[in-house]
Amino acid sequence: MDYDYAHYMVTQSWKLQPKNSSALFGESYQELLALALNQNHNRIMVYHDKKPQPLDLFNEANISSLPQFRSKTSSRGNRIPSEAERVLDAPGLLDNDSLNLLDWSTRDVIAIALWNSVFCLNNVDSSVWELLTVNAECGPVTSLSWAPDGKDLAIGLRNSVQLWDILTSRKIRSLSCSHYSTVGSMAWNRHVITTGGKDGKIVNNDIRSKSNIVDIYQGHRRDVCGLNWSNEGSHLASGGRDRFLHVWDRHMASPCLKMQHLHRIRDHKAAVRALAWSPHRRNLLASGGGKGDHCIKIWNSQLGQCLNSVNTGSEVCALLWNKHENELLSSHGSSENQLILWKYPSMMKISKVEVHSSRVLFMAQSPNGCKVASAAPDDSLRLWNIFPLRESDSSIQVLSSLFSHTIR
């Protein structure tokens, strides 16, 4: 149970062995060994009574008493439904893989950008309303991202970002993000909104500060297609049309606000827009390549090492992890425009369903992790119940909610 002691005994204990091997069994040597390793040799897991006889597993009388184990996946019947729970019209959704036009807030509200307008869907009461419409000079809307509290929505435009309060449907402020062109991707890290532009720049904007720009990352040569902060907020993954995947360390700053990348990777053969950090394992990142690549790659972000790569057969548009199980959901382009559910780490297909009539560019996940929204330029937004909770998970969530309510 003491890992350091075990490792020492395997690799270094020979240094303490005397030339006379028979001395190993002497009491004096045992005392010296214990003193040198600072170990207490009291036995901690011992039989006080007679040692029990091993169970004969092949005895028919014992087989019925053995516990019966079942696969988690098979017991849950976790498959992609053949039909969506809801289908909504979404005319004017842009067919552009450099943009990010769909997001789901922690308050269970879905935001989607349709040309110059942003619409909101409350998943609790199914109400739909138009949040804003920008004029032709500012539009179209090119990216959306909810703040962690679900109250504020960041809206990316040609060269700026607007913050809107969803409760009052009013604009809070505009951020000048130092981009020369379209802001196509955004990601929040607490009070910092990170923006990625067609100019290849990535900018950190602190919304608490009047002069909002705090960091600038420069590493991409073309459009920044995807941005995603790690769960603990220490690393940022960025993907670009230049085929590069970058991992940035928030603490690796250099003069003049310019940040240095931790890893610069070009293993994909096409644009990288699909990025997702695992909620189950630290430093585990999934990335997907576009047309001409078709691969999902799993990375150790700390080492910059590719742990697995699978060819999906079509453009990878978006990735989402199951929050309750080690499963990964991917959305794809032509020719099948499908959703595929993968089991990690084997990356075996669990299920595949053709869901849209055009490439499934955008996906977003509900706050409880159970439902997924998919949107495509076929002018439709679809809601799926892909990751249903088990009964035990539901009980834990209810107890957790009651406990936090009691504390408040």
Side-chain angles (χ1 to χ4, degrees):
M1 295 179 70
D2 189 330
Y3 176 82
D4 292 333
Y5 172 57
H7 182 267
Y8 180 87
M9 290 298 294
V10 170
T11 61
Q12 303 292 328
S13 60
W14 60 271
K15 295 179 180 179
L16 297 177
Q17 293 181 7
K19 293 181 180 180
N20 183 2
S21 60
S22 62
L24 285 172
F25 302 97
E27 292 182 0
S28 59
Y29 175 73
Q30 293 294 338
E31 292 175 0
L32 288 173
L33 180 61
L35 181 62
L37 297 176
N38 194 25
Q39 292 292 317
N40 182 0
H41 286 278
N42 294 329
R43 302 175 69 191
I44 58 174
M45 296 179 67
V46 297
Y47 292 107
H48 292 286
D49 298 319
K50 184 178 179 181
K51 181 179 179 180
Q53 294 297 318
L55 177 66
D56 184 1
L57 296 179
F58 297 97
N59 186 328
E60 292 184 2
N62 291 326
I63 291 177
S64 60
S65 64
L66 291 175
Q68 301 299 313
F69 298 99
R70 296 180 181 178
S71 165
K72 285 185 178 181
T73 301
S74 61
S75 65
R76 293 182 59 187
N78 192 1
R79 297 293 184 268
I80 302 176
S82 58
E83 295 184 0
E85 283 191 342
R86 295 185 64 187
V87 180
L88 296 95
D89 291 331
L93 188 68
L94 295 175
D95 187 0
N96 188 325
D97 60 6
S98 292
L99 310 182
N100 293 270
L101 306 176
L102 179 70
D103 201 13
W104 201 326
S105 80
T106 54
R107 296 182 182 230
D108 216 359
V109 177
I110 299 171
I112 185 170
L114 304 177
W115 193 243
N116 287 351
S117 301
V118 175
F119 291 85
C120 293
L121 165 65
N122 188 326
N123 191 51
V124 178
D125 59 15
S126 299
S127 60
V128 179
W129 70 97
E130 181 181 338
L131 180 64
L132 75 137
T133 296
V134 298
N135 57 42
E137 294 179 359
C138 296
V141 177
T142 55
S143 55
L144 296 172
S145 187
W146 287 102
D149 62 2
K151 180 176 174 289
D152 298 332
L153 178 65
I155 298 171
L157 300 168
R158 289 193 175 182
N159 58 1
S160 65
V161 170
Q162 295 181 2
L163 294 182
W164 283 70
D165 186 328
I166 192 66
L167 301 181
T168 61
S169 295
R170 293 181 179 179
K171 183 174 72 171
I172 303 171
R173 65 180 293 190
S174 294
L175 303 176
S176 178
C177 300
S178 187
H179 291 289
Y180 302 123
S181 56
T182 301
V183 179
S185 55
M186 296 188 293
W188 284 88
N189 187 2
R190 299 177 63 188
H191 49 267
V192 172
I193 176 70
T194 303
T195 59
K198 191 175 181 179
D199 54 11
K201 286 199 301 184
I202 301 171
V203 181
N204 280 346
N205 304 273
D206 191 332
I207 63 171
R208 303 171 302 176
S209 173
K210 186 175 181 180
S211 54
N212 51 275
I213 299 174
V214 291
D215 299 311
I216 298 176
Y217 306 162
Q218 290 185 316
H220 290 285
R221 300 169 184 168
R222 298 180 64 189
D223 312 36
V224 178
C225 303
L227 289 172
N228 205 325
W229 279 100
S230 61
N231 301 312
E232 69 282 358
S234 60
H235 291 89
L236 174 69
S238 67
R241 190 169 289 281
D242 57 3
R243 306 179 185 180
F244 277 102
L245 166 66
H246 285 84
V247 178
W248 309 85
D249 189 324
R250 182 168 58 91
H251 305 292
M252 292 178 62
S254 65
C256 303
L257 303 179
K258 294 184 179 179
M259 306 294 288
Q260 299 294 320
H261 55 261
L262 179 64
H263 298 294
R264 179 178 171 88
I265 303 166
R266 197 177 186 183
D267 273 20
H268 287 288
K269 299 176 182 177
V272 182
R273 76 180 304 269
L275 299 168
W277 294 91
S278 169
H280 310 294
R281 182 177 165 189
R282 188 183 178 93
N283 297 324
L284 190 68
L285 173 67
S287 65
K291 293 179 181 178
D293 181 80
H294 302 170
C295 289
I296 296 175
K297 295 181 183 291
I298 309 296
W299 303 91
N300 180 324
S301 65
Q302 193 64 37
L303 302 177
Q305 178 183 8
C306 184
L307 305 177
N308 201 348
S309 179
V310 57
N311 192 320
T312 66
S314 58
E315 171 189 7
V316 183
C317 300
L319 293 169
L320 289 175
W321 286 94
N322 183 347
K323 295 180 180 180
H324 314 295
E325 303 268 355
N326 259 324
E327 296 169 348
L328 182 65
L329 180 70
S330 57
S331 70
H332 298 267
S334 59
S335 58
E336 298 181 34
N337 308 310
Q338 74 272 40
L339 297 180
I340 302 179
L341 187 61
W342 308 84
K343 187 66 179 176
Y344 182 81
S346 65
M347 293 305 289
M348 298 292 292
K349 285 184 186 178
I350 298 175
S351 183
K352 181 178 80 168
V353 176
E354 295 181 30
V355 295
H356 286 272
S357 59
S358 60
R359 56 180 180 166
V360 191
L361 283 175
F362 313 109
M363 286 199 302
Q365 195 169 17
S366 64
N368 65 1
C370 297
K371 296 185 178 182
V372 171
S374 65
D378 61 2
D379 295 343
S380 70
L381 170 66
R382 298 171 186 262
L383 303 184
W384 309 83
N385 188 20
I386 296 180
F387 304 127
L389 284 174
R390 294 174 296 177
E391 290 184 7
S392 58
D393 295 331
S394 302
S395 301
I396 290 171
Q397 281 205 348
V398 170
L399 289 173
S400 175
S401 177
L402 289 173
F403 182 69
S404 60
H405 180 73
T406 303
I407 290 177
R408 293 193 195 100

